[in-house]
Short mmCIF file of all heavy atoms in Angstrom, two decimals:
data_model
loop_
_atom_site.label_atom_id
_atom_site.label_comp_id
_atom_site.label_asym_id
_atom_site.label_seq_id
_atom_site.Cartn_x
_atom_site.Cartn_y
_atom_site.Cartn_z
N MET A 9 -7.97 -13.58 -13.74
CA MET A 9 -9.29 -13.16 -13.35
C MET A 9 -9.38 -11.66 -13.25
O MET A 9 -8.50 -11.03 -12.63
CB MET A 9 -9.69 -13.81 -12.00
CG MET A 9 -11.08 -13.62 -11.59
SD MET A 9 -11.55 -14.49 -10.08
CE MET A 9 -11.05 -13.23 -8.91
N ILE A 10 -10.40 -11.06 -13.77
CA ILE A 10 -10.54 -9.64 -13.79
C ILE A 10 -11.43 -9.23 -12.59
O ILE A 10 -12.45 -9.74 -12.44
CB ILE A 10 -11.17 -9.11 -15.10
CG1 ILE A 10 -10.20 -9.40 -16.23
CG2 ILE A 10 -11.47 -7.64 -15.02
CD1 ILE A 10 -10.83 -9.14 -17.61
N LYS A 11 -10.90 -8.30 -11.83
CA LYS A 11 -11.70 -7.81 -10.68
C LYS A 11 -12.34 -6.52 -11.01
O LYS A 11 -11.87 -5.77 -11.83
CB LYS A 11 -10.69 -7.58 -9.48
CG LYS A 11 -10.23 -8.85 -8.85
CD LYS A 11 -9.49 -8.49 -7.55
CE LYS A 11 -9.01 -9.74 -6.86
NZ LYS A 11 -8.13 -9.35 -5.70
N MET A 12 -13.49 -6.30 -10.38
CA MET A 12 -14.26 -5.06 -10.64
C MET A 12 -13.50 -3.88 -10.04
O MET A 12 -13.49 -2.82 -10.60
CB MET A 12 -15.58 -5.15 -9.95
CG MET A 12 -16.54 -6.19 -10.55
SD MET A 12 -16.95 -5.82 -12.29
CE MET A 12 -17.98 -4.43 -12.07
N GLU A 13 -12.88 -4.09 -8.84
CA GLU A 13 -12.15 -3.01 -8.25
C GLU A 13 -10.67 -3.28 -8.29
O GLU A 13 -10.30 -4.44 -8.35
CB GLU A 13 -12.62 -2.80 -6.82
CG GLU A 13 -14.12 -2.68 -6.70
CD GLU A 13 -14.48 -1.56 -5.74
OE1 GLU A 13 -13.63 -0.72 -5.37
OE2 GLU A 13 -15.64 -1.62 -5.23
N ARG A 14 -9.90 -2.28 -8.20
CA ARG A 14 -8.46 -2.45 -8.30
C ARG A 14 -7.80 -2.43 -6.98
O ARG A 14 -8.28 -1.70 -6.11
CB ARG A 14 -7.87 -1.35 -9.19
CG ARG A 14 -8.29 -1.49 -10.63
CD ARG A 14 -7.57 -0.45 -11.50
NE ARG A 14 -6.13 -0.62 -11.51
CZ ARG A 14 -5.21 0.28 -11.18
NH1 ARG A 14 -5.65 1.47 -10.84
NH2 ARG A 14 -3.97 -0.04 -11.22
N ILE A 15 -6.77 -3.15 -6.84
CA ILE A 15 -5.91 -3.03 -5.68
C ILE A 15 -5.30 -1.62 -5.68
O ILE A 15 -4.87 -1.18 -6.77
CB ILE A 15 -4.76 -4.10 -5.72
CG1 ILE A 15 -5.36 -5.49 -5.81
CG2 ILE A 15 -3.80 -3.92 -4.59
CD1 ILE A 15 -6.03 -5.98 -4.55
N PRO A 16 -5.30 -0.92 -4.58
CA PRO A 16 -4.86 0.45 -4.64
C PRO A 16 -3.38 0.60 -4.95
O PRO A 16 -2.59 -0.29 -4.55
CB PRO A 16 -5.13 1.00 -3.25
CG PRO A 16 -5.33 -0.20 -2.35
CD PRO A 16 -5.85 -1.27 -3.29
N ASP A 17 -2.99 1.61 -5.69
CA ASP A 17 -1.64 1.88 -5.95
C ASP A 17 -1.08 2.84 -4.79
O ASP A 17 -1.43 4.04 -4.80
CB ASP A 17 -1.41 2.64 -7.23
CG ASP A 17 -1.69 1.72 -8.47
OD1 ASP A 17 -1.24 0.54 -8.43
OD2 ASP A 17 -2.27 2.16 -9.44
N LEU A 18 -0.41 2.33 -3.88
CA LEU A 18 0.07 3.13 -2.74
C LEU A 18 1.11 4.11 -3.19
O LEU A 18 1.23 5.23 -2.74
CB LEU A 18 0.57 2.26 -1.60
CG LEU A 18 -0.55 1.58 -0.81
CD1 LEU A 18 0.04 0.59 0.21
CD2 LEU A 18 -1.28 2.69 0.03
N TYR A 19 1.92 3.69 -4.12
CA TYR A 19 2.92 4.65 -4.68
C TYR A 19 3.40 4.05 -6.00
O TYR A 19 3.40 2.87 -6.25
CB TYR A 19 4.07 4.87 -3.77
CG TYR A 19 4.98 3.61 -3.62
CD1 TYR A 19 6.12 3.54 -4.29
CD2 TYR A 19 4.61 2.66 -2.76
CE1 TYR A 19 6.93 2.41 -4.15
CE2 TYR A 19 5.41 1.51 -2.53
CZ TYR A 19 6.59 1.39 -3.29
OH TYR A 19 7.28 0.27 -3.14
N ASN A 20 3.66 4.93 -6.95
CA ASN A 20 4.25 4.55 -8.22
C ASN A 20 5.69 4.77 -8.26
O ASN A 20 6.51 3.91 -8.73
CB ASN A 20 3.57 5.22 -9.36
CG ASN A 20 2.10 4.91 -9.51
OD1 ASN A 20 1.80 3.64 -9.61
ND2 ASN A 20 1.17 5.78 -9.50
N LYS A 21 6.13 5.90 -7.73
CA LYS A 21 7.50 6.24 -7.58
C LYS A 21 7.91 6.32 -6.12
O LYS A 21 6.96 6.63 -5.32
CB LYS A 21 7.93 7.59 -8.26
CG LYS A 21 7.66 7.56 -9.77
CD LYS A 21 7.85 8.95 -10.36
CE LYS A 21 6.72 9.85 -9.92
NZ LYS A 21 6.74 11.14 -10.53
N LYS A 22 9.12 6.11 -5.75
CA LYS A 22 9.48 6.11 -4.39
C LYS A 22 9.26 7.48 -3.73
O LYS A 22 9.04 7.61 -2.55
CB LYS A 22 10.94 5.66 -4.21
CG LYS A 22 11.11 4.17 -4.42
CD LYS A 22 12.50 3.70 -4.13
CE LYS A 22 12.58 2.18 -4.23
NZ LYS A 22 13.96 1.69 -3.98
N GLU A 23 9.30 8.52 -4.53
CA GLU A 23 9.06 9.89 -4.03
C GLU A 23 7.61 10.01 -3.50
O GLU A 23 7.33 10.91 -2.74
CB GLU A 23 9.27 10.96 -5.09
CG GLU A 23 10.74 11.00 -5.66
CD GLU A 23 11.10 9.93 -6.61
OE1 GLU A 23 10.25 9.58 -7.48
OE2 GLU A 23 12.21 9.36 -6.53
N GLU A 24 6.81 9.12 -3.87
CA GLU A 24 5.39 9.20 -3.41
C GLU A 24 5.16 8.44 -2.17
O GLU A 24 3.95 8.32 -1.70
CB GLU A 24 4.48 8.69 -4.54
CG GLU A 24 4.54 9.51 -5.83
CD GLU A 24 3.84 8.80 -7.01
OE1 GLU A 24 3.24 7.70 -6.78
OE2 GLU A 24 3.87 9.38 -8.09
N CYS A 25 6.13 7.97 -1.52
CA CYS A 25 6.01 7.24 -0.27
C CYS A 25 7.18 7.56 0.70
O CYS A 25 8.27 7.55 0.22
CB CYS A 25 6.00 5.78 -0.52
SG CYS A 25 6.01 4.73 1.01
N CYS A 26 6.86 8.01 1.90
CA CYS A 26 7.89 8.41 2.86
C CYS A 26 8.13 7.28 3.84
O CYS A 26 8.92 7.41 4.76
CB CYS A 26 7.48 9.66 3.58
SG CYS A 26 6.06 9.55 4.64
N GLY A 27 7.42 6.17 3.67
CA GLY A 27 7.65 5.03 4.56
C GLY A 27 7.08 5.18 5.97
O GLY A 27 7.62 4.58 6.91
N CYS A 28 6.04 5.99 6.08
CA CYS A 28 5.51 6.30 7.45
C CYS A 28 4.80 5.16 8.06
O CYS A 28 4.53 5.11 9.27
CB CYS A 28 4.59 7.50 7.40
SG CYS A 28 3.02 7.17 6.51
N SER A 29 4.37 4.15 7.27
CA SER A 29 3.66 2.96 7.73
C SER A 29 2.24 3.24 8.18
O SER A 29 1.63 2.37 8.77
CB SER A 29 4.37 2.25 8.91
OG SER A 29 5.70 1.97 8.54
N ALA A 30 1.70 4.41 7.89
CA ALA A 30 0.29 4.67 8.23
C ALA A 30 -0.61 3.71 7.55
O ALA A 30 -1.61 3.21 8.09
CB ALA A 30 -0.07 6.12 7.95
N CYS A 31 -0.37 3.42 6.29
CA CYS A 31 -1.19 2.45 5.50
C CYS A 31 -1.14 1.09 6.16
O CYS A 31 -2.12 0.37 6.31
CB CYS A 31 -0.73 2.43 4.06
SG CYS A 31 1.02 2.13 3.82
N PHE A 32 0.05 0.68 6.51
CA PHE A 32 0.27 -0.64 7.15
C PHE A 32 -0.52 -0.69 8.45
O PHE A 32 -1.20 -1.71 8.71
CB PHE A 32 1.78 -0.80 7.37
CG PHE A 32 2.14 -1.85 8.41
CD1 PHE A 32 2.31 -3.16 7.98
CD2 PHE A 32 2.44 -1.53 9.74
CE1 PHE A 32 2.63 -4.16 8.87
CE2 PHE A 32 2.80 -2.53 10.62
CZ PHE A 32 2.89 -3.88 10.20
N SER A 33 -0.52 0.36 9.23
CA SER A 33 -1.21 0.38 10.53
C SER A 33 -2.69 0.35 10.37
O SER A 33 -3.33 -0.26 11.20
CB SER A 33 -0.81 1.65 11.33
OG SER A 33 0.58 1.64 11.55
N ILE A 34 -3.26 0.99 9.36
CA ILE A 34 -4.72 1.14 9.27
C ILE A 34 -5.38 0.03 8.61
O ILE A 34 -6.58 -0.26 8.72
CB ILE A 34 -5.14 2.50 8.61
CG1 ILE A 34 -6.49 2.89 9.12
CG2 ILE A 34 -5.01 2.37 7.11
CD1 ILE A 34 -6.86 4.33 8.70
N CYS A 35 -4.68 -0.74 7.83
CA CYS A 35 -5.28 -1.81 6.99
C CYS A 35 -6.00 -2.86 7.89
O CYS A 35 -5.42 -3.49 8.76
CB CYS A 35 -4.26 -2.55 6.17
SG CYS A 35 -4.94 -3.87 5.21
N PRO A 36 -7.35 -3.00 7.73
CA PRO A 36 -8.13 -3.80 8.54
C PRO A 36 -7.93 -5.31 8.33
O PRO A 36 -8.29 -6.13 9.10
CB PRO A 36 -9.59 -3.41 8.21
CG PRO A 36 -9.58 -2.91 6.82
CD PRO A 36 -8.19 -2.22 6.72
N LYS A 37 -7.32 -5.60 7.16
CA LYS A 37 -7.08 -6.98 6.83
C LYS A 37 -5.57 -7.41 7.02
O LYS A 37 -5.24 -8.54 6.65
CB LYS A 37 -7.51 -7.26 5.34
CG LYS A 37 -8.90 -6.93 5.05
CD LYS A 37 -9.95 -7.67 5.95
CE LYS A 37 -10.11 -9.11 5.47
NZ LYS A 37 -11.15 -9.77 6.32
N MET A 38 -4.81 -6.52 7.46
CA MET A 38 -3.35 -6.77 7.61
C MET A 38 -2.78 -7.29 6.29
O MET A 38 -2.03 -8.26 6.25
CB MET A 38 -3.07 -7.74 8.79
CG MET A 38 -3.42 -7.07 10.14
SD MET A 38 -3.46 -8.14 11.57
CE MET A 38 -1.80 -8.79 11.53
N ALA A 39 -3.19 -6.59 5.24
CA ALA A 39 -2.79 -7.02 3.94
C ALA A 39 -1.47 -6.35 3.53
O ALA A 39 -0.95 -6.73 2.45
CB ALA A 39 -3.85 -6.69 2.90
N ILE A 40 -1.01 -5.39 4.26
CA ILE A 40 0.13 -4.62 3.88
C ILE A 40 1.40 -5.06 4.71
O ILE A 40 1.26 -5.09 5.89
CB ILE A 40 -0.10 -3.10 4.07
CG1 ILE A 40 -1.31 -2.66 3.18
CG2 ILE A 40 1.20 -2.33 3.67
CD1 ILE A 40 -1.66 -1.19 3.29
N SER A 41 2.46 -5.23 4.01
CA SER A 41 3.74 -5.50 4.64
C SER A 41 4.68 -4.39 4.30
O SER A 41 4.64 -3.85 3.19
CB SER A 41 4.35 -6.84 4.14
OG SER A 41 3.44 -7.84 4.17
N MET A 42 5.49 -4.02 5.28
CA MET A 42 6.52 -3.00 4.95
C MET A 42 7.82 -3.72 4.58
O MET A 42 8.43 -4.44 5.50
CB MET A 42 6.73 -2.07 6.18
CG MET A 42 5.47 -1.25 6.60
SD MET A 42 4.81 -0.17 5.27
CE MET A 42 6.13 1.06 5.16
N MET A 43 8.26 -3.56 3.38
CA MET A 43 9.38 -4.32 2.88
C MET A 43 10.55 -3.40 2.62
O MET A 43 10.43 -2.33 2.03
CB MET A 43 8.98 -4.98 1.51
CG MET A 43 7.72 -5.87 1.64
SD MET A 43 8.06 -7.37 2.65
CE MET A 43 9.18 -8.28 1.55
N PRO A 44 11.73 -3.75 3.05
CA PRO A 44 12.88 -2.97 2.83
C PRO A 44 13.38 -3.03 1.39
O PRO A 44 13.37 -4.07 0.76
CB PRO A 44 13.92 -3.52 3.77
CG PRO A 44 13.50 -4.93 4.00
CD PRO A 44 12.06 -4.97 3.86
N ASP A 45 13.81 -1.86 0.84
CA ASP A 45 14.44 -1.84 -0.47
C ASP A 45 15.94 -2.13 -0.31
O ASP A 45 16.39 -2.50 0.76
CB ASP A 45 14.15 -0.53 -1.21
CG ASP A 45 14.86 0.68 -0.61
OD1 ASP A 45 15.71 0.45 0.34
OD2 ASP A 45 14.69 1.76 -1.14
N ASP A 46 16.70 -1.95 -1.41
CA ASP A 46 18.12 -2.28 -1.37
C ASP A 46 18.86 -1.47 -0.32
O ASP A 46 19.91 -1.94 0.20
CB ASP A 46 18.73 -2.10 -2.73
CG ASP A 46 18.17 -3.08 -3.80
OD1 ASP A 46 17.59 -4.05 -3.33
OD2 ASP A 46 18.29 -2.81 -4.93
N GLU A 47 18.36 -0.29 -0.04
CA GLU A 47 19.04 0.60 0.99
C GLU A 47 18.44 0.50 2.36
O GLU A 47 18.82 1.22 3.22
CB GLU A 47 18.99 2.04 0.44
CG GLU A 47 19.73 2.24 -0.83
CD GLU A 47 19.59 3.57 -1.48
OE1 GLU A 47 18.49 4.13 -1.41
OE2 GLU A 47 20.58 4.10 -2.05
N GLY A 48 17.48 -0.34 2.54
CA GLY A 48 16.86 -0.56 3.85
C GLY A 48 15.71 0.35 4.16
O GLY A 48 15.22 0.28 5.24
N PHE A 49 15.29 1.11 3.21
CA PHE A 49 14.14 1.96 3.36
C PHE A 49 12.82 1.10 3.21
O PHE A 49 12.79 0.29 2.29
CB PHE A 49 14.06 3.17 2.51
CG PHE A 49 15.19 4.18 2.73
CD1 PHE A 49 16.25 4.27 1.90
CD2 PHE A 49 15.09 4.99 3.88
CE1 PHE A 49 17.30 5.14 2.17
CE2 PHE A 49 16.12 5.86 4.15
CZ PHE A 49 17.24 6.00 3.29
N LEU A 50 11.87 1.31 4.10
CA LEU A 50 10.67 0.49 4.05
C LEU A 50 9.62 1.04 3.08
O LEU A 50 9.28 2.21 3.12
CB LEU A 50 10.07 0.32 5.42
CG LEU A 50 10.94 -0.41 6.45
CD1 LEU A 50 10.30 -0.38 7.84
CD2 LEU A 50 11.30 -1.84 6.03
N TYR A 51 9.05 0.13 2.30
CA TYR A 51 7.97 0.44 1.43
C TYR A 51 6.82 -0.53 1.52
O TYR A 51 7.14 -1.69 1.73
CB TYR A 51 8.44 0.53 -0.06
CG TYR A 51 9.32 1.72 -0.36
CD1 TYR A 51 10.70 1.62 -0.18
CD2 TYR A 51 8.77 3.00 -0.67
CE1 TYR A 51 11.56 2.70 -0.46
CE2 TYR A 51 9.61 4.11 -0.86
CZ TYR A 51 10.99 3.94 -0.76
OH TYR A 51 11.80 4.98 -0.94
N PRO A 52 5.59 -0.08 1.41
CA PRO A 52 4.46 -1.01 1.58
C PRO A 52 4.25 -1.93 0.40
O PRO A 52 4.38 -1.52 -0.75
CB PRO A 52 3.27 -0.07 1.81
CG PRO A 52 3.63 1.21 1.07
CD PRO A 52 5.11 1.31 1.18
N LEU A 53 3.92 -3.16 0.71
CA LEU A 53 3.52 -4.09 -0.34
C LEU A 53 2.22 -4.71 0.04
O LEU A 53 2.04 -5.17 1.17
CB LEU A 53 4.67 -5.19 -0.39
CG LEU A 53 4.41 -6.26 -1.53
CD1 LEU A 53 4.59 -5.67 -2.85
CD2 LEU A 53 5.40 -7.42 -1.22
N ILE A 54 1.27 -4.72 -0.87
CA ILE A 54 -0.07 -5.23 -0.60
C ILE A 54 -0.16 -6.66 -1.06
O ILE A 54 0.13 -6.99 -2.18
CB ILE A 54 -1.17 -4.35 -1.33
CG1 ILE A 54 -1.10 -2.94 -0.80
CG2 ILE A 54 -2.57 -5.00 -1.12
CD1 ILE A 54 -2.02 -1.97 -1.45
N ASP A 55 -0.70 -7.49 -0.17
CA ASP A 55 -0.99 -8.88 -0.50
C ASP A 55 -2.38 -8.84 -1.16
O ASP A 55 -3.40 -8.66 -0.54
CB ASP A 55 -1.03 -9.73 0.77
CG ASP A 55 -1.34 -11.18 0.45
OD1 ASP A 55 -1.89 -11.48 -0.63
OD2 ASP A 55 -1.06 -12.02 1.32
N GLU A 56 -2.39 -9.02 -2.48
CA GLU A 56 -3.64 -8.92 -3.25
C GLU A 56 -4.70 -9.86 -2.78
O GLU A 56 -5.85 -9.63 -2.98
CB GLU A 56 -3.32 -9.01 -4.71
CG GLU A 56 -2.44 -7.87 -5.21
CD GLU A 56 -2.28 -7.84 -6.70
OE1 GLU A 56 -2.98 -8.62 -7.43
OE2 GLU A 56 -1.49 -7.03 -7.17
N ALA A 57 -4.25 -11.06 -2.29
CA ALA A 57 -5.22 -12.03 -1.80
C ALA A 57 -5.98 -11.63 -0.60
O ALA A 57 -7.05 -12.08 -0.35
CB ALA A 57 -4.47 -13.33 -1.61
N LYS A 58 -5.33 -10.77 0.22
CA LYS A 58 -5.95 -10.30 1.50
C LYS A 58 -6.79 -8.98 1.32
O LYS A 58 -7.66 -8.72 2.10
CB LYS A 58 -4.95 -10.16 2.54
CG LYS A 58 -4.27 -11.38 3.04
CD LYS A 58 -3.25 -11.07 4.17
CE LYS A 58 -2.55 -12.32 4.62
NZ LYS A 58 -1.41 -11.93 5.48
N CYS A 59 -6.35 -8.18 0.34
CA CYS A 59 -6.93 -6.81 0.17
C CYS A 59 -8.42 -6.91 -0.18
O CYS A 59 -8.79 -7.63 -1.11
CB CYS A 59 -6.11 -6.07 -0.86
SG CYS A 59 -6.80 -4.42 -1.22
N ILE A 60 -9.25 -6.10 0.49
CA ILE A 60 -10.69 -6.04 0.20
C ILE A 60 -11.03 -4.71 -0.48
O ILE A 60 -12.20 -4.32 -0.57
CB ILE A 60 -11.50 -6.19 1.47
CG1 ILE A 60 -11.13 -5.11 2.53
CG2 ILE A 60 -11.34 -7.61 2.01
CD1 ILE A 60 -12.03 -5.03 3.73
N GLN A 61 -9.99 -3.99 -0.97
CA GLN A 61 -10.19 -2.77 -1.71
C GLN A 61 -11.05 -1.69 -0.96
O GLN A 61 -11.90 -1.04 -1.50
CB GLN A 61 -10.90 -2.96 -3.06
CG GLN A 61 -9.98 -3.69 -4.07
CD GLN A 61 -10.18 -5.19 -4.09
OE1 GLN A 61 -11.33 -5.64 -4.07
NE2 GLN A 61 -9.13 -5.94 -4.21
N CYS A 62 -10.77 -1.61 0.32
CA CYS A 62 -11.51 -0.56 1.14
C CYS A 62 -10.91 0.80 0.99
O CYS A 62 -11.55 1.79 1.29
CB CYS A 62 -11.48 -1.01 2.61
SG CYS A 62 -9.89 -0.84 3.40
N TYR A 63 -9.67 0.85 0.49
CA TYR A 63 -8.99 2.16 0.20
C TYR A 63 -8.70 2.99 1.51
O TYR A 63 -8.39 4.23 1.35
CB TYR A 63 -9.71 2.99 -0.82
CG TYR A 63 -9.50 2.46 -2.21
CD1 TYR A 63 -10.17 1.29 -2.59
CD2 TYR A 63 -8.64 3.04 -3.08
CE1 TYR A 63 -9.89 0.73 -3.87
CE2 TYR A 63 -8.35 2.53 -4.35
CZ TYR A 63 -8.99 1.36 -4.73
OH TYR A 63 -8.72 0.82 -5.99
N LEU A 64 -8.83 2.35 2.65
CA LEU A 64 -8.45 3.17 3.87
C LEU A 64 -6.91 3.51 3.76
O LEU A 64 -6.54 4.58 4.32
CB LEU A 64 -8.68 2.24 5.12
CG LEU A 64 -10.10 2.17 5.60
CD1 LEU A 64 -10.19 1.22 6.74
CD2 LEU A 64 -10.64 3.55 6.00
N CYS A 65 -6.14 2.68 3.23
CA CYS A 65 -4.75 2.99 3.08
C CYS A 65 -4.49 4.18 2.30
O CYS A 65 -3.58 5.02 2.63
CB CYS A 65 -3.95 1.75 2.56
SG CYS A 65 -4.62 1.06 1.03
N ILE A 66 -5.23 4.36 1.24
CA ILE A 66 -5.06 5.49 0.40
C ILE A 66 -5.50 6.82 1.15
O ILE A 66 -4.91 7.88 1.09
CB ILE A 66 -5.86 5.40 -0.92
CG1 ILE A 66 -5.30 4.27 -1.75
CG2 ILE A 66 -5.90 6.71 -1.70
CD1 ILE A 66 -3.94 4.51 -2.38
N LYS A 67 -6.66 6.69 1.86
CA LYS A 67 -7.18 7.82 2.61
C LYS A 67 -6.25 8.29 3.68
O LYS A 67 -6.21 9.45 3.95
CB LYS A 67 -8.58 7.43 3.22
CG LYS A 67 -9.68 7.28 2.09
CD LYS A 67 -10.95 6.95 2.73
CE LYS A 67 -12.02 6.55 1.62
NZ LYS A 67 -12.91 5.52 2.09
N VAL A 68 -5.54 7.36 4.32
CA VAL A 68 -4.72 7.72 5.46
C VAL A 68 -3.35 8.27 4.99
O VAL A 68 -2.64 8.94 5.77
CB VAL A 68 -4.51 6.54 6.42
CG1 VAL A 68 -3.52 5.51 5.89
CG2 VAL A 68 -4.16 7.05 7.79
N CYS A 69 -2.96 7.97 3.76
CA CYS A 69 -1.64 8.28 3.32
C CYS A 69 -1.36 9.80 3.34
O CYS A 69 -2.09 10.53 2.61
CB CYS A 69 -1.36 7.75 1.96
SG CYS A 69 0.34 8.08 1.35
N PRO A 70 -0.36 10.29 4.02
CA PRO A 70 -0.13 11.79 4.11
C PRO A 70 0.34 12.36 2.74
O PRO A 70 0.40 13.55 2.55
CB PRO A 70 0.97 11.91 5.11
CG PRO A 70 1.65 10.63 5.13
CD PRO A 70 0.64 9.57 4.83
N LEU A 71 0.82 11.51 1.85
CA LEU A 71 1.35 12.03 0.57
C LEU A 71 0.37 11.88 -0.57
O LEU A 71 0.74 12.17 -1.72
CB LEU A 71 2.63 11.22 0.22
CG LEU A 71 3.80 11.44 1.23
CD1 LEU A 71 5.10 10.79 0.67
CD2 LEU A 71 4.02 12.84 1.52
N LYS A 72 -0.86 11.54 -0.36
CA LYS A 72 -1.82 11.47 -1.39
C LYS A 72 -2.64 12.78 -1.49
O LYS A 72 -3.03 13.29 -0.45
CB LYS A 72 -2.80 10.25 -1.21
CG LYS A 72 -2.13 8.95 -1.10
CD LYS A 72 -1.65 8.49 -2.48
CE LYS A 72 -0.82 7.20 -2.36
NZ LYS A 72 0.51 7.35 -1.77
S1 LIG B 30 -7.47 -1.24 0.33
FE1 LIG B 30 -8.06 -1.74 2.50
S2 LIG B 30 -7.67 -3.95 2.58
FE2 LIG B 30 -6.55 -3.26 0.77
S3 LIG B 30 -4.47 -2.80 1.42
FE3 LIG B 30 -5.63 -0.89 1.55
S4 LIG B 30 -6.39 -0.79 3.69
FE4 LIG B 30 -5.76 -2.90 3.23
S1 LIG B 31 0.83 5.81 4.19
FE1 LIG B 31 1.62 6.54 2.22
S2 LIG B 31 3.62 7.44 2.68
FE2 LIG B 31 3.02 6.21 4.41
S3 LIG B 31 4.01 4.21 4.06
FE3 LIG B 31 1.90 4.09 3.18
S4 LIG B 31 2.16 4.69 1.01
FE4 LIG B 31 3.96 5.29 2.11
#
């Protein structure tokens, strides 16, 4: 199914995310989980079924 709006790309490369969890904290739908990578660093993962494309997570991100 094609959506009109896109799920936000919180980061493409790991350098674009410092793992601050601000996106996780602000998401009104609790659609973001902080998931550890192989080294235990946390990165956000969006549950596309919960996301309403409000983009608050992008606005709050200090690295955007
Ligand atoms: S766009 Fe909105 S609903 Fe979707 S993950 Fe970001 S803050 Fe949550
Ligand atoms: S707000 Fe930005 S830097 Fe912080 S965890 Fe989310 S994507 Fe990473």
Side-chain angles (χ1 to χ4, degrees):
M9 190 175 87
I10 298 170
K11 286 187 178 174
M12 293 297 288
E13 306 223 18
R14 291 185 63 233
I15 301 292
D17 289 321
L18 282 171
Y19 67 99
N20 292 306
K21 295 174 292 187
K22 287 185 174 179
E23 296 78 41
E24 297 171 1
C25 173
C26 65
C28 70
S29 303
C31 52
F32 164 82
S33 298
I34 205 167
C35 178
K37 303 303 283 184
M38 292 170 59
I40 300 178
S41 309
M42 297 302 292
M43 303 293 289
D45 69 2
D46 293 342
E47 295 173 324
F49 294 106
L50 296 177
Y51 290 92
L53 182 70
I54 297 176
D55 181 340
E56 298 190 5
K58 292 182 184 170
C59 177
I60 55 170
Q61 289 97 41
C62 68
Y63 283 74
L64 282 176
C65 52
I66 295 290
K67 288 178 189 149
V68 78
C69 180
L71 296 189
K72 301 287 176 286

